[in-house]
Amino acid sequence: QVQLVESGGGLVQAGRSLRLSCAASGNIFSINVMGWYRQAPGKQRELVAVASSTGITNYSDSVKGRFTISRDNAKNTVYLQMNNLKPEDTAVYYCSANLKARMYAPYLDVWGQGTLVTVSS
């Protein structure tokens, strides 16, 4: 069984920075894409940033230039460096991984439990 554990959320003032981490553990053969999504109160979950195993990244327009996603493939870990945070970044941030447990198994999407980021003005 695979588990994603996020850490690094909290309460910060606007303009400050936070770094989120997400480590995948368990029966993992390979991980394709890892990424971060967020869900603000009353809104749908939205993509923040994703990174492929080869380093290709994609960001939502709202975080480009402020957030940076990175991966440590040896540790099955993905990070999200969030700079110049704004109140509208307040949300629960979820880690996601597209992975497979065995060589001939299909890729499946696994989600973390979420970590709350609150940005005060």
Side-chain angles (χ1 to χ4, degrees), residues 27-69:
N27 194 14
I28 300 171
F29 178 79
S30 70
I31 302 178
N32 183 12
V33 177
M34 296 187 82
W36 293 93
Y37 293 74
R38 68 186 181 187
Q39 187 167 18
K43 294 187 177 182
Q44 289 188 330
R45 190 174 298 187
E46 63 175 2
L47 178 145
V48 176
V50 291
S52 74
S53 58
T54 58
I56 297 172
T57 59
N58 188 37
Y59 296 89
S60 70
D61 288 342
S62 62
V63 307
K64 278 182 183 176
R66 299 188 297 122
F67 291 11
T68 302
I69 189 171

Side-chain angles (χ1 to χ4, degrees), residues 1-3 24-31 76 99-103 105 108 110:
Q1 195 158 355
V2 178
Q3 188 176 19
S25 62
N27 194 14
I28 300 171
F29 178 79
S30 70
I31 302 178
N76 290 333
L99 55 84
K100 59 179 179 180
R102 299 177 304 279
M103 180 181 293
L108 298 175
V110 180

Side-chain angles (χ1 to χ4, degrees), residues 9-14 18 85-87 89-91 93 116-120:
L11 172 64
V12 293
Q13 289 184 325
L18 275 179
L85 282 159
K86 303 176 180 180
D89 294 319
T90 295
Y93 284 70
L116 178 62
V117 173
T118 304
V119 184
S120 63

